[in-house]
Amino acid sequence: MTANKTGGRRAALLLAVITPLVAEFTLGNPPLRMAWLLLLWIPIYGAGVVLVRELVRRAGTGWTGVLLLGAAYGVVEEGLALQALSSPTIYGAAGWAPRILGLNSAYAELQIPYHAVFSAAIPILLTDLIVPSLRDRPYLGRLGTWLAATVFVLGALLLRMTVVTSIDPGYAAPPAILAGCAAAVLLLTAAGLRLRSRPGRPSISPPPPAAAGVFGAVTAFGYLASLFPFGGATQPAFTHGGWVIVPMTAAAVLAVTAAWLLRRWTAGGLWTDRHSLALASGALVAHTAFGLVSNTDTVADRAGLAAVGLVMMCLLAVLGRRVAGRTSSTVACDSR
């Protein structure tokens, strides 16, 4: 076994562990006292996002591919495994906004981009920054990729047979909904493996890394707060009836604006790893802050999530020093 193969497998394992921690644990799902539940999510989250990265690296479609395949992952989890996109009872999501074509519209708008960013893009980015020597290459060979795909499917079945039977017993999505979700997965995957960023697109000078961090925090908190009912609200942003269209539209505009700015900031060659880490760190801190507001019911759970957030920030700070050190070394080498 070569050192490169060993390093790739370790990086894939690291990504598989980081993913559910970022996507669920740092939001307060589950609370610290029930952290063992992460074992149920590592197969679908970990193997799923490893598979996303392997496919995108082989296709060469970059972050566009990561986000599109991350969205496809979200449809698999929410539409096919949990079937929460269409369930009239789970999480009370059917009451957040009018259902469209049998789907919980506000829940779908929240969860699909959430998985693209917090379940796929941020864990992959963090792993690339931790293991920079492999950032542009697949971690696994063909056999390892097929194994990840197999574990992903088994993980989805595990989620279906365990979590769903306890929180939404008796519901099964209609065949038309399942077929539509499967078609969406195929379309998103095909697009994610084909679409590449066009060279020469207009660029804007990026803000300093600290400002990128603030941007990530405001965008993440704003998007989550616009779509997830919290503080006793039954609809997003404390709206009632048809007024829910206002926060839903605001969230969509915020997401599109953020995507447009990021494409322009990263187009001119001035965007660095420090910018990327600051952006992700801001989003993660805001993500955990929102979890404290919306996802904790007891003092113990709040204290537990606050402790998780503190550890997370310390680890991000350590990674930040490593990234800054690599940047300084590169600058010194280039100036010789």
Side-chain angles (χ1 to χ4, degrees):
M1 184 184 298
T2 66
N4 186 47
K5 287 183 178 179
T6 302
R9 291 173 183 177
R10 288 175 178 171
L13 180 60
L14 177 64
L15 175 57
V17 173
I18 285 176
T19 299
L21 292 177
V22 168
E24 296 286 351
F25 198 51
T26 59
L27 186 63
N29 291 327
L32 189 59
R33 56 190 164 81
M34 300 174 66
W36 60 270
L37 286 173
L38 286 170
L39 296 175
L40 298 177
W41 286 320
I42 285 179
I44 184 172
Y45 272 108
V49 175
V50 167
L51 179 62
V52 165
R53 190 188 183 281
E54 294 304 293
L55 294 176
V56 169
R57 288 296 180 266
R58 285 177 167 81
T61 50
W63 290 110
T64 298
V66 167
L67 290 170
L68 288 170
L69 265 71
Y73 167 87
V75 177
V76 171
E77 180 179 325
E78 301 291 346
L80 298 176
L82 291 175
Q83 298 183 7
L85 293 184
S86 58
S87 173
T89 53
I90 196 169
Y91 308 138
W96 293 8
R99 284 162 58 90
I100 300 175
L101 299 177
L103 298 177
N104 300 323
S105 57
Y107 183 84
E109 185 184 355
L110 170 68
Q111 290 294 338
I112 304 307
Y114 177 89
H115 283 297
V117 173
F118 286 96
S119 299
I122 289 180
I124 289 172
L125 171 65
L126 293 176
T127 309
D128 283 349
L129 292 175
I130 294 170
V131 192
S133 61
L134 298 176
R135 67 193 306 166
D136 297 321
R137 300 201 297 270
Y139 290 149
L140 305 172
R142 291 187 181 277
L143 179 60
T145 302
W146 278 106
L147 179 61
T150 301
V151 174
F152 172 49
V153 172
L154 293 175
L157 293 174
L158 177 65
L159 201 67
R160 181 73 196 156
M161 292 185 296
T162 56
V163 175
V164 175
T165 55
S166 64
I167 64 175
D168 197 25
Y171 175 74
I177 294 290
L178 296 177
C181 288
V185 170
L186 292 175
L187 289 173
L188 287 166
T189 301
L193 298 179
R194 286 178 171 271
L195 295 180
R196 290 175 171 81
S197 298
R198 296 179 181 178
R201 64 179 183 267
S203 64
I204 301 174
S205 295
V214 173
F215 174 79
V218 171
T219 301
F221 196 94
Y223 192 84
L224 294 172
S226 296
L227 293 172
F228 187 85
F230 64 95
T234 57
Q235 288 192 177
F238 300 92
T239 54
H240 298 279
W243 285 104
V244 72
I245 192 65
V246 175
M248 290 178 69
T249 301
V253 170
L254 180 62
V256 170
T257 302
W260 183 87
L261 285 171
L262 284 171
R263 284 177 64 85
R264 296 299 180 264
W265 286 340
T266 57
L270 298 177
W271 186 269
T272 67
D273 284 350
R274 292 181 63 196
H275 288 92
S276 295
L277 180 58
L279 179 74
S281 297
L284 285 170
V285 170
H287 173 255
T288 300
F290 185 74
L292 285 168
V293 172
S294 66
N295 225 18
T296 53
D297 298 321
T298 67
V299 172
D301 286 348
R302 293 188 189 95
L305 184 54
V308 168
L310 182 60
V311 171
M312 177 190 72
M313 288 189 289
C314 290
L315 293 174
L316 289 170
V318 171
L319 181 57
R321 285 197 293 270
R322 288 181 58 182
V323 169
R326 289 200 298 265
T327 303
S328 299
S329 298
T330 301
V331 171
C333 289
D334 290 343
S335 64
R336 290 177 184 173

